[in-house]
Every structure is written in structure tokens, then in C-alpha cells.
Amino acid sequence: MSAMSKKESDGCRKLLKLLSEDDILSLNDTVTNRLIPAESPREAIEAIIAYSQSAEELLKRKKVNREVIFKYLAAEKVPLPPNSEKHQLIKRTLELWTCDRENTVNVSSACCTEQKGDGLEQIAALGKQFCQWFFQLLNYQNPQALQQCSMKQDWGPQHFWSDARMLLLTHSQVRQKDEFHGAELVSRRLLALVSEERLLFYPNLQQTGLKCVATPHGLVLVAVAGTIHRENDCLGVFEQVFGLIRAPQEDNRWKIKTVHLNVKGQIDKGTLPAVTYNSKELLQLFT
């Protein structure tokens, strides 16, 4: 029987109502192995939810296609690029259904606490986990994002060192360079990108889009490339480098010391954005 939470069950009901009546009845036959006949779509939906092993299993069903999930997320005002693949939409839907402070682990604490072990694999895992946390949190500040999500209240200078600094490079008709100093100013400028300019940042967390380097002095550099969107339009690509340092007074959480954000206004179709810095160049950015 289903192990869904109430929030997952409610979400599945709303999503399944977007299917045609024939698809709902067909899905009921598949999920229940034709053992639970349904006389109406409403009965079928309840049986589908009851006999699905999990919300994820239900979302992966063929009848629950990419277009249905996309339409559901759009109705819930969850921002995402229109070319998202089904597995990405499933991931975002599950995040939506678990976006409740009482039912989920604090993402900031989970990804910014000390990582066990040493070596390149641990540094790479830290970088990927940090980027997943950071860009999800940043994108949730966009006015199009889910209004009720508790993560909208989690953004702020507390994630930055008090002397944090940020370099912002933008390329339009002319190249512009701006610098910001202090946790409050850096936090506000990043926030303005999504809350006022209504941008959305989607990182490429595959091998070519992520590079991580650790220094002997405890600084971890995380470089990531990705695409920038506004509503349904892809505006270009970005390359961002973070300098992270542990805060011993805060249970060894990783906090942002430096940010180097390069926003470019062009994108090569058919290719994923890639980090252009090598390890030596990353180190030179902050020395």
C-alpha cells in the first residue's frame, strides 16, 4: 500500500486530475493489476494513490507524461525551463511536496555542515551538494516561485562571511564590472537578480559544468556553469565561482567568503554550459 505523506497524496490527486478520463482508468488498471475496478475517475484516483508504492513511483508511470507534470508545476507557480526533461520535472515535483519545514531536513544545515572524509571525491560531493542547495534557495526568491515554500524565508546574509565580497561581470553591449563588499550587500545583490530582475539560474552539475578545488588553507573553490532564464526564455549562460570556508563557531558549517559571477548573453545551441577555468586559474581568482 502507499507510503505517501498527506502532502504527496494531495499533490498526486491534483496532478492526476489533469489526465484524461481514459488515461486515469487505464492507469488504475495498471497500478492495481485490474484487481480494483473503478466506476469513476474519482474512485480510480483514490485507488491509484492507495496502491502506488510511493509518489516517485507514480510520477514515473508512462501515463503521467512530461507534459502533465509540467502543466501541474506551472499551475503551482514553480519556475522551471520549458525544455526540462521528465526526470528533472519529477525531482522538482518531489521537492515541492517536501518543501515543509516541519517535514524536511534544513537544507542549509544538511549541505553546509562538515563533510566526512578527505580527497577529491569528498570535495566534488561537497561542491555538487552546495550548488544544489544554493541555486534552489536562490531561485525560490523569484516572484514566480511557490509562495508558501519555507525556503523563501531562508535567504539572507547569514550564509555569507561578514567580510564576503562579490565580483559581478555582465556582457551586453558593453562589458560591465561591479564589486560588492560585506555579507549584507552581497546577499542583496544576488537576491535582486531573481527577485527584481526575475532571473532563474539552472546549473549544469554534470562533469563539464562543475569543478572543485581545495587549498591547503581551508578554502574550497566551487566553479559551476549553467543557463539563465526569465520565465520561458533562455537569456544566456553564466559561470560562477564560490569560495567557501568553514565557520567553527557555527558547527563547522560552510559559509560563502567570495563570489565571482560572470553573466554572458549568448549560448551555443546543443551544448551544455561548461566551466572554462582550470584549477590554476581558479586559485588565481582569489589570490
Side-chain angles (χ1 to χ4, degrees):
M1 299 291 286
S2 175
M4 295 186 199
S5 67
K6 183 179 185 302
K7 195 166 187 178
E8 289 173 331
S9 298
D10 291 343
C12 286
R13 286 187 185 90
K14 188 178 293 187
L15 186 148
L16 289 172
K17 288 178 181 178
L18 298 176
L19 296 176
S20 68
E21 181 174 335
D22 288 343
D23 282 343
I24 291 175
L25 295 176
S26 175
L27 183 58
N28 174 68
D29 289 341
T30 300
V31 172
T32 67
N33 200 24
R34 298 182 181 274
L35 296 177
I36 309 295
E39 297 182 359
S40 68
R42 182 177 180 180
E43 288 184 6
I45 288 174
E46 293 305 315
I48 291 168
I49 293 173
Y51 284 87
S52 291
Q53 295 299 312
S54 66
E56 183 175 8
E57 181 207 40
L58 176 55
L59 291 174
K60 289 182 177 179
R61 295 283 185 179
K62 288 184 179 181
K63 291 294 184 182
V64 185
N65 58 43
R66 175 194 172 281
E67 287 71 23
V68 168
I69 303 177
F70 185 92
K71 186 182 297 185
Y72 168 78
L73 290 173
E76 295 296 312
K77 301 188 184 302
V78 177
L80 70 171
N83 60 346
S84 299
E85 297 180 3
K86 183 178 178 180
H87 71 90
Q88 295 171 317
L89 299 179
I90 290 174
K91 181 176 182 293
R92 186 61 63 89
T93 303
L94 294 174
E95 289 172 353
L96 168 65
W97 291 342
T98 56
C99 189
D100 186 328
R101 187 180 298 274
E102 295 180 356
N103 297 327
T104 58
V105 176
N106 185 301
V107 181
S108 173
S109 298
C111 82
C112 292
T113 51
E114 181 176 2
Q115 302 287 303
K116 295 182 179 179
D118 297 305
L120 295 177
E121 290 186 3
Q122 283 70 31
I123 295 300
L126 166 64
K128 184 173 183 179
Q129 198 173 18
F130 167 79
C131 287
Q132 289 172 332
W133 165 78
F134 178 86
F135 289 105
Q136 181 185 44
L137 175 60
L138 183 64
N139 285 339
Y140 267 126
Q141 311 312 310
N142 188 294
Q144 291 182 306
L146 181 66
Q147 297 300 310
Q148 292 77 20
C149 182
S150 62
M151 288 188 73
K152 292 183 73 70
Q153 283 77 48
D154 287 342
W155 181 267
Q158 69 272 17
H159 301 303
F160 301 82
W161 285 90
S162 60
D163 59 348
R165 60 188 178 90
M166 171 176 153
L167 178 65
L168 175 60
L169 300 174
T170 55
H171 304 261
S172 52
Q173 294 181 345
V174 294
R175 184 174 183 268
Q176 184 173 336
K177 177 180 177 180
D178 296 295
E179 292 190 35
F180 305 87
H181 298 271
E184 188 67 38
L185 283 180
V186 174
S187 173
R188 285 184 183 179
R189 185 63 188 98
L190 286 168
L191 177 61
L193 292 173
V194 293
S195 64
E196 297 176 16
E197 300 178 41
R198 302 200 172 205
L199 301 179
L200 292 166
F201 293 81
Y202 291 95
N204 170 23
L205 298 183
Q206 304 304 314
Q207 187 173 4
T208 59
L210 184 66
K211 182 184 289 290
C212 305
V213 178
T215 73
H217 306 293
L219 176 68
V220 172
L221 301 176
V222 179
V224 61
T227 53
I228 303 173
H229 301 254
R230 181 182 287 124
E231 295 183 348
N232 293 330
D233 297 322
C234 181
L235 304 181
V237 298
F238 73 91
E239 191 168 9
Q240 190 162 5
V241 183
F242 300 91
L244 308 178
I245 297 179
R246 288 194 183 108
Q249 71 276 22
E250 297 184 33
D251 297 324
N252 267 346
R253 290 176 58 195
W254 292 94
K255 296 179 66 173
I256 302 169
K257 181 76 169 180
T258 52
V259 181
H260 187 286
L261 175 56
N262 192 354
V263 176
K264 306 173 185 179
Q266 72 279 350
I267 182 172
D268 295 327
K269 293 184 178 180
T271 61
L272 289 174
V275 171
T276 61
Y277 299 104
N278 59 38
S279 297
K280 183 177 180 181
E281 290 170 336
L282 283 177
L283 294 173
Q284 290 175 340
L285 283 177
F286 303 112
T287 56

